[in-house]
Amino acid sequence: MSDLIPAPRHVHDYTGHFALGPETRLMAGEGTATTERWLRGVLGAATGFPLDAGDTAANAIQLYLHPMVTKDLGEEGYRLMVRHDTVHLVGGGPAGLFWGAQTLRQLLGPDAFRRAPLPDRHWRLPVTHIQDSPRFRWRGLMLDVARHFMPKEGVLRQLDLMAAHKLNVFHFHLTDDQGWRVEIKRYPRLTEVGSWRARTKIGHRASPLWEDKPHGGFYTQDDIREIVAYAAERHITVVPEIDVPGHSQAAIAAYPELGNTDVITASTEEGTALSVWDNWGISANVLAPTDNTLRFYEGVFEELLELFPSEFVHVGGDECRKDQWRQSPAAQARIRELGLADEDELQSWFVGHFDKWLTARGRRLIGWDEIIEGGLAKGAAVSSWRGYAGGIAAARAGHDVVMCPEQYVYLDHRQAPGEDEPVPIGFVRTLEDVYRFEPVPAQLTEDEARHVLGTQANVWTEVMEDQGRVDYQAYPRLTAFAEVAWSALPAPAERDFAGFERRMSLHYRRLDALGVGYRPPSGPLPWQRRPGVLGRPIEGAPPNR
């Protein structure tokens, strides 16, 4: 089964096959209803077979859970046994059964990923025995919908693509300087004002090009409930992100009292109301460190907790410019009142407030690695994006870590050095570079390494204006990342990238069937290029820190 992606832990192939046909039954044991419904839906659509329920083992796909699989392989593990006359798919838990169903779908061939049957197809599963379980519990994808909004149907599509690659955490970046994307009923101006901007920079912020039309959109609370439920049926947890105290200009535009009103920012003309930012980069407009701001965001998070049942809530905490706080008499008075040393400690105080607030409600705060600089509550976790250093420091301090270093898994970075590469941003990060990414730093001891919950790839959308651009930047690199997150791979230098490329030759056909506009191995297609749009390429090898 050398064409499976991610690669399973143990495979034993035999001769022969199981033939799937119109008489094949789908037998579902207790606790397997979600996978039964999903499998009947996708395979029924692709094959045209009804896959009716049945009670005879012959010519059947049997789904069930078993405690021995749980004991041996964990809740996310599974065993798939294909025989000549029947198929047994056994999960350690409901999630493990679902991941096994993803493997079964791959074994049927690329046409199993289509939504309607093609003529003259023969559906066969090779006789095999697979035992599999993931390396990490957090196998994540972050999607930024604040810079460029993705309609709900596009988000649901991304969840389907994640499930096909056994990714299980969807980090939903919902707010930033350029847009607020989630309905908060007690603060309607967050979406009335904050969800759209008057125009959008095309390309890097130094580009002279603009799209001179409004851009925006937001998800209603019912949209969010639908997204969360859709993800849960695919055993994906949705972790929301609401940025504080930086990356907050859209919120301040909607509610100016959240900002540092006693200073005039360089981005606002006197007498003119601040607007949702239309450029890229890091805005100087940050939240004021007032009790009013704290109460406001407590109200935001109260509604958010009702929508997202996730263990973790992401609060951003990164790239907070301190210029306004240095200039603000009110902020300086707050520093003295709290007995803090400087503006950096003021940011730590701000994040720490929500750390305690979320902990008191049975949730855990997670934020970008800047949040460790002033100390964290015991249960808080860190997304290590500025290389490995933040994650190493957090793990050594006893905090859980999700490794997502910019140098390896920021998928907005360009994929090749050629001039045809669209809107070239950052370092060249090839498919092979991602495949050789190692989430656990060698500097950690065995005990410290246990704090690495897993890893995540990040899709920042400043230069991804639509679904096609997201597809191009994410795939096929997200496929390599998925194998890193799931499979028990050897050390980076010893990984069989040539073998992975051979498996990708078939996987591209799966992506084709799913309608994914990935970057071809030979380079961008003519319609994937963006001639004349300025990027920000960085030459040389990425730093490894």
Side-chain angles (χ1 to χ4, degrees):
M1 295 305 100
S2 59
D3 61 351
L4 291 173
I5 294 178
R9 287 180 179 265
H10 303 289
V11 180
H12 193 160
D13 292 332
Y14 300 89
T15 58
H17 62 267
F18 171 85
L20 198 72
E23 302 303 319
T24 302
R25 304 296 183 189
L26 190 57
M27 298 175 57
E30 185 177 352
T32 69
T34 299
T35 296
E36 176 196 15
R37 182 167 57 250
W38 179 86
L39 196 58
R40 180 175 286 115
V42 296
L43 295 191
T47 65
F49 302 150
L51 297 175
D52 291 330
D55 54 8
T56 58
N59 194 19
I61 299 173
Q62 303 175 60
L63 310 178
Y64 51 100
L65 308 178
H66 199 284
M68 283 303 296
V69 178
T70 314
K71 178 181 177 183
D72 295 342
L73 298 171
E75 289 282 337
E76 288 196 279
Y78 67 90
R79 289 190 180 121
L80 176 59
M81 293 156 283
V82 180
R83 300 173 180 169
H84 296 89
D85 60 343
T86 192
V87 177
H88 294 272
L89 177 55
V90 191
L97 188 77
F98 183 72
W99 304 133
Q102 298 291 342
T103 297
L104 188 152
R105 188 188 193 188
Q106 285 197 19
L107 290 174
L108 280 170
D111 288 335
F113 291 80
R114 298 190 180 276
R115 297 185 183 181
L118 299 179
D120 302 322
R121 292 298 189 270
H122 298 286
W123 299 98
R124 295 178 174 181
L125 290 168
V127 175
T128 188
H129 183 190
I130 297 173
Q131 294 191 83
D132 200 10
S133 61
R135 180 184 179 192
F136 294 111
R137 59 170 279 203
W138 186 302
R139 306 180 301 279
L141 170 68
M142 189 228 69
L143 179 64
D144 165 27
V145 296
R147 274 52 176 269
H148 277 101
F149 178 67
M150 180 175 286
K152 181 192 68 178
E153 287 303 315
V155 174
L156 300 180
R157 174 179 177 270
Q158 290 299 321
L159 293 169
D160 280 331
L161 292 174
M162 287 180 65
H165 291 86
K166 299 186 174 75
L167 299 173
N168 71 338
V169 178
F170 180 56
H171 176 170
F172 208 7
H173 183 81
L174 289 164
T175 73
D176 218 292
D177 297 309
Q178 297 85 2
W180 184 285
R181 305 296 182 211
V182 57
E183 177 189 27
I184 303 297
K185 291 185 181 295
R186 73 187 73 183
Y187 304 128
R189 285 177 59 84
L190 286 172
T191 46
E192 290 171 359
V193 174
S195 70
W196 69 275
R197 56 181 180 265
R199 63 176 186 168
T200 298
K201 174 68 72 172
I202 298 176
H204 183 253
R205 57 182 174 271
S207 167
L209 304 176
W210 293 89
E211 184 179 44
D212 285 308
K213 68 176 184 180
H215 175 87
F218 67 93
Y219 310 101
T220 68
Q221 293 200 355
D222 281 344
D223 289 338
I224 294 293
R225 292 185 181 97
E226 180 183 356
I227 289 167
V228 170
Y230 194 86
E233 287 190 343
R234 286 146 185 80
H235 298 278
I236 296 170
T237 299
V238 184
V239 175
E241 179 179 350
I242 302 291
D243 270 297
V244 297
H247 287 294
S248 298
Q249 183 165 323
I252 298 168
Y255 291 91
E257 65 272 21
L258 297 174
N260 296 279
T261 56
D262 56 349
V263 296
I264 299 173
T265 72
S267 59
T268 308
E269 296 179 6
E270 190 171 4
T272 301
L274 188 70
S275 62
V276 177
W277 208 22
D278 59 12
N279 211 332
W280 312 128
I282 307 170
S283 171
N285 292 287
V286 302
L287 297 175
T290 64
D291 289 341
N292 175 67
T293 301
L294 298 181
R295 300 293 87 77
F296 183 97
Y297 273 85
E298 286 172 2
V300 170
F301 284 118
E302 281 176 4
E303 293 195 24
L304 215 69
L305 296 189
E306 294 177 359
L307 298 171
F308 295 94
S310 55
E311 175 185 3
F312 290 97
V313 175
H314 208 291
V315 300
D318 63 315
E319 297 181 326
C320 179
R321 291 176 62 176
K322 312 297 195 304
D323 299 355
Q324 288 186 346
W325 288 352
R326 294 187 186 98
Q327 299 165 13
S328 164
Q332 291 301 310
R334 195 72 198 251
I335 289 173
R336 293 190 296 272
E337 172 195 337
L338 295 169
L340 304 176
D342 54 23
E343 294 77 18
D344 290 338
E345 287 196 4
L346 184 62
Q347 178 178 351
S348 297
W349 165 82
F350 199 110
V351 172
H353 173 85
F354 289 102
D355 189 355
K356 298 181 184 71
W357 190 90
L358 288 166
T359 298
R361 287 153 182 81
R363 304 298 185 94
R364 295 178 66 186
L365 179 144
I366 186 169
W368 303 110
D369 56 57
E370 287 94 329
I371 69 172
I372 68 173
E373 293 166 2
L376 287 173
K378 185 177 181 181
V382 170
S383 302
S384 186
W385 76 275
R386 297 179 299 175
Y388 287 110
I392 292 170
R396 286 176 173 169
H399 294 287
D400 288 338
V401 177
V402 176
M403 283 293 182
C404 48
E406 176 184 18
Q407 301 92 327
Y408 290 96
V409 291
Y410 268 38
L411 300 183
D412 53 324
H413 282 220
R414 57 197 173 126
Q415 302 185 64
E419 293 182 2
D420 286 338
E421 207 64 29
V423 201
I425 298 295
F427 296 104
V428 172
R429 292 285 78 189
T430 66
L431 182 65
E432 182 172 0
D433 291 329
V434 175
Y435 191 67
R436 297 194 189 280
F437 163 59
E438 173 48 51
V440 179
Q443 298 95 315
L444 295 180
T445 67
E446 185 175 342
D447 286 341
E448 292 166 348
R450 292 193 182 98
H451 285 291
V452 179
L453 299 177
T455 183
Q456 177 174 291
N458 295 338
V459 176
W460 299 103
T461 63
E462 288 94 334
V463 298
M464 300 182 215
E465 69 276 12
D466 56 29
Q467 177 177 289
R469 285 286 292 124
V470 171
D471 279 4
Y472 180 90
Q473 292 297 134
Y475 291 94
R477 292 184 297 182
L478 193 62
T479 302
F481 171 81
E483 182 148 310
V484 169
W486 177 278
S487 304
L489 298 177
E494 300 168 8
R495 292 176 188 172
D496 181 11
F497 179 68
F500 177 77
E501 280 191 306
R502 285 192 297 272
R503 285 182 284 134
M504 277 302 303
S505 64
L506 182 66
H507 197 72
Y508 285 122
R509 292 174 55 200
R510 297 181 187 123
L511 296 178
D512 287 334
L514 289 166
V516 177
Y518 57 84
R519 181 189 188 276
S522 58
L525 299 167
W527 54 87
Q528 293 173 322
R529 299 167 189 161
R530 294 292 185 277
V533 179
L534 184 68
R536 187 178 67 93
I538 304 175
E539 302 302 332
N544 186 5
R545 65 185 194 278

